[in-house]
Amino acid sequence: MSDPATNPATPEAVFGKEAVAAALADHAAVKGLEAFIVDAKWDRNELTLTVAPESIVEACKAAQASGYNFFEDCTCVDWFPTEPRFQVTYHLLSHKLKQRIRLIARVHGDTPSIPSITSVWPAANFYEREVFDLFGVRFEGHPRLTRIMMPDNWNGHPLRKDYPVEGYR
């Protein structure tokens, strides 16, 4: 997280911490998701809300009820060797509000698992399969969690930072 004293481009430095906190409190997504938010960050006119992995389905339902009607994508970041190792990121859009939000959930690396949001947004199906295939994060309750890019007999998950790159063609 950047320090407003050293980075004058942060919203806190330009508007003040109180103004940013007030803007966050007044944001439609924050109002609907306040029960699930672990952390919030407003940077470069983008809102990122961190939620607990076990609450992701409820958070997505709350975002949908708040007017975020479009699921854009789901992706993952491997922060190896840091724990929690994986950051699963969801981008949501509200056509009515003309706003985007980013929901992130941090998942531990020993047995990475998070509930599937395909019951809320069926379009998450292939994105979750891709994250499973390339990072090894399991989406519990997914209707068909199988590999989508790599061959079915492939060992490992190639976008993990500790994936061995020697010996593959």
Side-chain angles (χ1 to χ4, degrees):
M1 195 157 153
S2 58
D3 180 20
T6 60
N7 185 358
T10 63
E12 291 86 1
V14 176
F15 301 109
K17 285 190 177 197
E18 294 79 21
V20 172
L24 277 175
D26 216 25
H27 199 282
V30 175
K31 283 184 177 179
L33 292 162
E34 55 199 6
F36 307 107
I37 297 173
V38 175
D39 190 24
K41 180 181 178 187
W42 183 265
D43 191 22
R44 293 176 183 82
N45 207 22
E46 295 178 354
L47 179 61
T48 301
L49 303 173
T50 303
V51 299
E54 60 272 5
S55 303
I56 192 64
V57 174
E58 293 83 9
C60 286
K61 287 179 182 177
Q64 197 174 52
S66 296
Y68 289 85
N69 60 324
F70 186 76
F71 169 82
E72 290 184 313
D73 69 356
C74 170
T75 189
C76 187
V77 177
D78 183 358
W79 292 109
F80 179 80
T82 309
E83 281 294 335
R85 177 176 177 173
F86 298 102
Q87 172 184 306
V88 182
T89 305
Y90 305 87
H91 294 101
L92 309 177
L93 170 68
S94 169
H95 289 104
K96 180 181 174 185
L97 302 171
K98 295 180 175 65
Q99 294 177 345
R100 283 185 166 84
I101 60 169
R102 179 182 301 115
L103 296 180
I104 62 172
R106 300 192 187 275
V107 181
H108 287 281
D110 48 354
T111 54
S113 174
I114 188 169
S116 172
I117 64 163
T118 54
S119 62
V120 182
W121 281 298
N125 184 342
F126 286 173
Y127 292 100
E128 289 181 351
R129 286 179 61 193
E130 181 180 20
V131 169
F132 163 70
D133 192 5
L134 300 177
F135 289 94
V137 176
R138 298 197 66 77
F139 290 87
E140 301 303 322
H142 190 280
R144 187 173 177 252
L145 193 62
T146 58
R147 290 195 179 267
I148 193 169
M149 298 180 83
M150 304 303 291
D152 288 335
N153 61 350
W154 192 266
N155 289 325
H157 306 282
L159 289 186
R160 286 188 173 199
K161 288 192 177 175
D162 59 350
Y163 186 76
V165 293
E166 303 273 334
Y168 288 97
R169 294 168 92 97

